[in-house]
Amino acid sequence: MVIVMDETASEEQIANVIDKVVRLGFDIYRITGMLQTLLGVVGERIVDLRDIEILEGVKRVIRISTPYKLPNRSFKAEGTVIRVGGVTIGGPEVVVMAGPSMLEDRDQIMRIAEVVSQRGARVLRAGVFASPESLYSQGGPGEKGLRLLREASDRFGLLALSEVYDSRQVATAAEYVDLMVVGGGGAQNPDLLRQAGALAIPVIIKRGTAATIEETLIAADRVMMAGNLNVVICESGIRTFEPYLRKTLDISAIPIIKKLSHLPVVAAPSEATGRRDKVPALAQAAVAAGVDGILIDVHHDPQNALADGGQALRPEQFDSLMKRLSSIARAVEREIPAPVSNATG
């Protein structure tokens, strides 16, 4: 349930309500808005709402019947805005996160970081751990790759993002990145979600290939209940009976999630399609549908990429896409940020 405190409620009254709820055996999460305080209550006990409604400072109590509580729009009516390193996710900007599917070496990541920073990306994303389904035989560069990702991000004024698939990778990645992606399969891993919940950085939860929207929001709920409220949902494609593309990017999920949840939503058209010629159209559709960010694969030499070269845009293609995304963003009253020209050289 959600306890909505009155706008005039004092800190003492809020503390008394929290104490009462905790004594009843519930976990509680406080969100302080501009006008009032919301208290998210999580637990399995049955309680008479009137026992809480009569407490001083309480405006109303809302029972939430869905299996996910903290991501629920009933828990927090206004959309969540996540701010990290000067970048805002969930605000008026559509944040572009771009880079190679797999980091290969220093020269590669530096060249790509320069390309995407010059064209308006705010986040440098690169894989350093191979996914369980990956054919990348070396398994990824691991911590060495994370160090290179951090170096390239700092040099070109970008945030660093990478993906983890195993709970053993979380602590290492958290030392280097500003945002972390939990892969689709990881959304079904309770231990991985708990560790992501202990982080102080935003976590992007990818929808699994066979996961429903509700199951994805439940995964987000587990991260938030573990203490990390900075969660983003990523639509990266689901498995359907259509074999033409790797997966079907569920554009309809974007407005649905935004109606059900207050969390920001991003899309990953490169991963969904597996084909660079289809990425621009789906990226544009996602922006039109209301996403707060886009994850795009970019590679300076995709023909010779060690992983997923077929889905990576070439620099000139990325440049063209960014111009079109800017036009579409303006049409839906959003914006693509201007390029950041603060490379340290």
Side-chain angles (χ1 to χ4, degrees), residues 79-136:
T80 287
V81 177
I82 296 174
R83 296 177 176 85
V84 52
V87 174
T88 299
I89 305 174
E93 297 181 348
V94 178
V95 179
V96 176
M97 310 171 190
S101 176
M102 183 61 68
L103 193 151
E104 299 164 11
D105 54 40
R106 188 178 188 277
D107 178 66
Q108 176 231 29
I109 193 62
M110 288 295 175
R111 292 179 67 173
I112 297 173
E114 182 175 19
V115 165
V116 301
S117 67
Q118 290 176 344
R119 290 157 176 81
R122 302 298 302 277
V123 180
L124 178 62
R125 50 91 57 186
V128 300
F129 302 111
S131 72
E133 299 82 18
S134 175
L135 299 178
Y136 188 68

Side-chain angles (χ1 to χ4, degrees), residues 266-278:
V266 299
S270 299
E271 178 179 336
T273 64
R275 295 180 50 135
R276 75 172 62 88
D277 60 330
K278 307 305 178 193

Side-chain angles (χ1 to χ4, degrees), residues 27-33 38-42 69-72 75-76 78-83 89 193-205 217 219-233 261-264:
D27 293 324
I28 194 160
Y29 298 85
R30 174 175 176 171
I31 294 181
T32 302
L38 303 179
L39 303 176
V41 181
V42 180
K69 302 296 188 290
L70 300 185
N72 201 301
F75 174 58
K76 184 170 180 281
E78 69 273 15
T80 287
V81 177
I82 296 174
R83 296 177 176 85
I89 305 174
L193 295 174
R194 282 193 296 270
Q195 291 206 32
L199 297 175
I201 61 176
V203 172
I204 299 175
I205 301 292
L217 291 172
D221 196 37
R222 288 176 175 171
V223 173
M224 297 174 78
M225 284 193 291
N228 189 347
L229 298 180
N230 293 318
V231 176
V232 178
I233 302 297
S261 173
H262 57 86
L263 299 177

Side-chain angles (χ1 to χ4, degrees), residues 77-342:
E78 69 273 15
T80 287
V81 177
I82 296 174
R83 296 177 176 85
V84 52
V87 174
T88 299
I89 305 174
E93 297 181 348
V94 178
V95 179
V96 176
M97 310 171 190
S101 176
M102 183 61 68
L103 193 151
E104 299 164 11
D105 54 40
R106 188 178 188 277
D107 178 66
Q108 176 231 29
I109 193 62
M110 288 295 175
R111 292 179 67 173
I112 297 173
E114 182 175 19
V115 165
V116 301
S117 67
Q118 290 176 344
R119 290 157 176 81
R122 302 298 302 277
V123 180
L124 178 62
R125 50 91 57 186
V128 300
F129 302 111
S131 72
E133 299 82 18
S134 175
L135 299 178
Y136 188 68
S137 58
Q138 288 85 354
E143 187 170 3
K144 177 183 177 181
L146 288 168
R147 288 195 294 269
L148 292 173
L149 174 62
R150 182 74 269 164
E151 180 187 353
S153 299
D154 291 343
R155 178 174 178 180
F156 292 99
L158 302 168
L159 298 183
L161 176 150
S162 196
E163 187 165 350
V164 298
Y165 305 94
D166 188 290
S167 58
R168 294 169 294 182
Q169 300 165 346
V170 173
T172 302
E175 295 181 20
Y176 298 95
V177 301
D178 303 293
L179 307 97
M180 188 180 298
V181 178
V182 172
Q188 305 300 319
N189 184 332
D191 186 48
L192 177 53
L193 295 174
R194 282 193 296 270
Q195 291 206 32
L199 297 175
I201 61 176
V203 172
I204 299 175
I205 301 292
K206 273 188 181 178
R207 182 182 179 188
T209 56
T212 64
I213 292 172
E214 182 175 274
E215 288 167 342
T216 307
L217 291 172
I218 290 172
D221 196 37
R222 288 176 175 171
V223 173
M224 297 174 78
M225 284 193 291
N228 189 347
L229 298 180
N230 293 318
V231 176
V232 178
I233 302 297
C234 178
E235 169 54 47
S236 58
I238 55 175
R239 189 67 51 80
T240 68
F241 54 80
E242 175 51 60
Y244 186 79
L245 298 176
R246 177 189 293 155
K247 295 184 285 185
T248 297
L249 187 67
D250 188 1
I251 297 294
S252 64
I254 296 165
I256 292 172
I257 294 171
K258 281 187 162 287
K259 180 178 180 180
L260 297 174
S261 173
H262 57 86
L263 299 177
V265 181
V266 299
S270 299
E271 178 179 336
T273 64
R275 295 180 50 135
R276 75 172 62 88
D277 60 330
K278 307 305 178 193
V279 170
L282 290 180
Q284 293 171 81
V287 171
V291 291
D292 301 296
I294 295 281
L295 280 76
I296 299 288
D297 279 21
V298 178
H299 199 291
H300 67 286
D301 184 15
Q303 293 297 108
N304 294 304
L306 293 182
D308 294 325
Q311 68 189 37
L313 299 183
R314 298 183 179 90
E316 64 274 13
Q317 293 173 315
F318 182 63
D319 181 53
S320 176
L321 173 61
M322 291 296 286
K323 293 174 181 176
R324 281 178 280 169
L325 290 182
S326 294
S327 298
I328 293 172
R330 287 194 296 270
V332 294
E333 300 181 339
R334 304 291 290 276
E335 60 179 312
I336 301 291
V340 178
S341 57
N342 59 347

